[in-house]
Amino acid sequence: MLDIATELHGWTEQDRDFAVATVVAVSGSAPRRPGAALAVDAGGTVIGSVSGGCVEGAVYDLCRQAIEDGHPVRERFGYSDDDAFAVGLTCGGVIDILVTPVRRGDPARPVLAAALAAAIRGEAAALALVTEGPAELLGLPLLVRTDAPATSALGAQPAVERAAAGQAAALLDAGRTAHVTVGGDGSPGCGPRTGLLVVANLPAPRMIVFGAIDFASALVRIGRFLGYHVTLCDARPVFATAARFPEADEIVVDWPHRYLEQTETDARTVLCVLTHDAKFDIPLLRLALTLPVAYVGAMGSRRTHLDRNARLREAGLPETALARLRSPIGLDLGAHSPEETALSIAAEIVALRRGGTGVPLRGAHTPIHHDEADGPEGRVGSAA
């Protein structure tokens, strides 16, 4: 439900009663991943989505019922299920939905409100929801943050609470959303077997765009659209201005390599080098290709690419590092305009992030929806 945190937090501030339907498990070609949510308030207002439209009507009815009777419920919809087929899930997937009422006075409400507020502030947090196990725990939340003690509505089961907090903290540290099971192994104090969906929320990943050119302006816009915190860096103050890049989260006037030396990067950071000038490119890429970041791409023709690689070899960069460079940057879309080129670059970043091939889906024998754990970001830590 953290994907609709802003709207849901507004509902809690307005003291509305509502119910949240959360995707807790999927298989096949279900379009939304675990953690995606749809919410309905007591007046019938809907936000979010759990299936891209296939089962929204049935889920809406479940939410209205949960608001009325206060009981959480877990339902499965799938192509092989006659009832689910009747409500329109014809894309061949199976999706499990947990519907949780959030009414005034519920013990879960403060925990959910804190989780929503943390997500809005961009803080690292993990929200765990009980998806199976003791009936009295179904739908109850637990919140783990890096800078505060865990808060929970699972107090009636302290062993489950402790185990859930440990699992949620581990998944938050890895930056992963996952379904886990705690308890039930028969050892003293382990608590009953309990299933949990843990949704990890991390601060937005960084995109750093080097080179204040027209192509960079389009890339900044699409980077923001994809959820990145976008920094534009250029050594020339006349070009690196807020007026030219109003959608950048941050504008830095500095030599690119010097800025990269000083700023924080991590395994989700993407670096897009559009400077197209050897005096900037070479020292920047010499550093960038040694950092454990998700993506390094550089703009330029194939001739420029060959010349740049030769210069980087002369500067002492090994072949293993050069092999990480995405150059010429982007996928082959036949792009010409800055906007088309930005789309090409973004497509390559998404394909690498999610483990895609970049080939047309028509005629391909690859999954439409890749398991996030299979992609590079899934291996090093990601937020769903």
Side-chain angles (χ1 to χ4, degrees):
M1 68 181 70
L2 301 183
D3 59 334
I4 51 173
T6 300
E7 297 91 338
L8 273 188
H9 188 261
W11 286 6
T12 62
E13 293 285 290
Q14 295 159 16
D15 212 23
R16 298 193 204 182
D17 289 342
F18 57 92
V20 182
T22 305
V23 177
V24 297
V26 300
S27 64
S29 61
R32 301 301 307 276
R33 310 313 296 167
L38 175 150
V40 180
D41 74 358
T45 301
V46 182
I47 56 175
S49 173
V50 291
S51 70
C54 296
V55 302
E56 314 292 60
V59 173
Y60 174 85
D61 291 338
L62 290 173
C63 287
R64 294 301 298 270
Q65 184 62 42
I67 295 170
E68 182 178 335
D69 62 27
H71 297 147
V73 62
R74 178 170 172 167
E75 292 284 349
R76 171 168 291 181
F77 300 93
Y79 185 83
S80 60
D81 184 315
D82 291 339
D83 292 333
F85 183 82
V87 298
L89 188 60
T90 59
C91 57
V94 175
I95 180 171
D96 282 19
I97 303 291
L98 175 68
V99 178
T100 308
V102 185
R103 305 192 300 183
R104 284 163 286 190
D106 287 349
R109 192 178 181 103
V111 180
L112 292 176
L116 297 170
I120 292 170
R121 292 192 296 266
E123 298 174 359
L127 176 65
L129 296 173
V130 176
T131 62
E132 54 187 318
E136 68 273 14
L137 296 184
L138 187 64
L140 293 183
L142 175 142
L143 172 65
V144 168
R145 288 171 285 187
T146 56
D147 58 353
T151 54
S152 169
L154 309 180
Q157 289 283 355
V160 173
E161 185 176 57
R162 288 192 298 272
Q167 290 281 359
L171 286 167
L172 177 59
D173 186 57
R176 292 184 55 229
T177 288
H179 196 277
V180 296
T181 301
V182 300
D185 60 7
S187 59
C190 71
R193 180 180 174 86
T194 305
L196 302 161
L197 174 70
V198 181
V199 181
N201 182 77
L202 297 177
R206 296 194 68 189
M207 173 185 283
I208 308 178
V209 181
F210 297 97
I213 62 176
D214 51 354
F215 291 92
S217 179
L219 185 56
V220 165
R221 292 197 300 274
I222 202 166
R224 283 287 300 273
F225 177 75
L226 291 176
Y228 286 92
H229 179 95
V230 183
T231 300
L232 184 285
C233 176
D234 196 294
R236 304 165 299 174
V238 68
F239 293 109
T241 66
R244 297 188 71 227
F245 300 93
E247 295 180 79
D249 294 291
E250 182 182 22
I251 296 175
V252 175
V253 178
D254 200 349
W255 277 74
H257 73 281
R258 187 164 59 192
Y259 172 67
L260 187 57
E261 286 174 341
Q262 299 168 353
T263 194
E264 288 189 13
T265 60
D266 61 25
R268 300 185 301 150
T269 302
V270 301
L271 307 177
C272 301
V273 180
L274 311 185
T275 45
H276 207 247
D277 185 328
K279 69 175 178 291
F280 296 122
D281 288 359
I282 302 308
L284 173 59
L285 289 171
R286 183 180 180 184
L287 172 61
L289 291 170
T290 66
L291 298 177
V293 295
Y295 175 91
V296 182
M299 178 175 277
S301 67
R302 298 191 187 280
R303 177 180 294 180
T304 298
H305 167 71
L306 294 174
D307 176 70
R308 187 161 48 209
N309 276 6
R311 290 171 183 260
L312 288 170
R313 288 187 186 96
E314 290 175 6
L317 207 64
E319 294 299 320
T320 53
L322 278 175
R324 298 181 57 215
L325 179 59
R326 300 279 172 158
S327 174
I329 195 170
L331 297 185
D332 179 13
L333 304 183
H336 285 280
S337 70
E339 290 75 18
E340 290 172 347
T341 302
L343 178 61
S344 164
I345 297 169
E348 183 174 49
I349 291 170
V350 171
L352 181 63
R353 178 181 182 183
R354 301 301 186 194
T357 63
V359 303
L361 289 172
R362 186 184 67 178
H365 299 286
T366 56
I368 294 176
H369 305 290
H370 289 258
D371 185 341
E372 290 183 7
D374 291 340
E377 185 177 276
R379 290 194 292 270
V380 298
S382 64

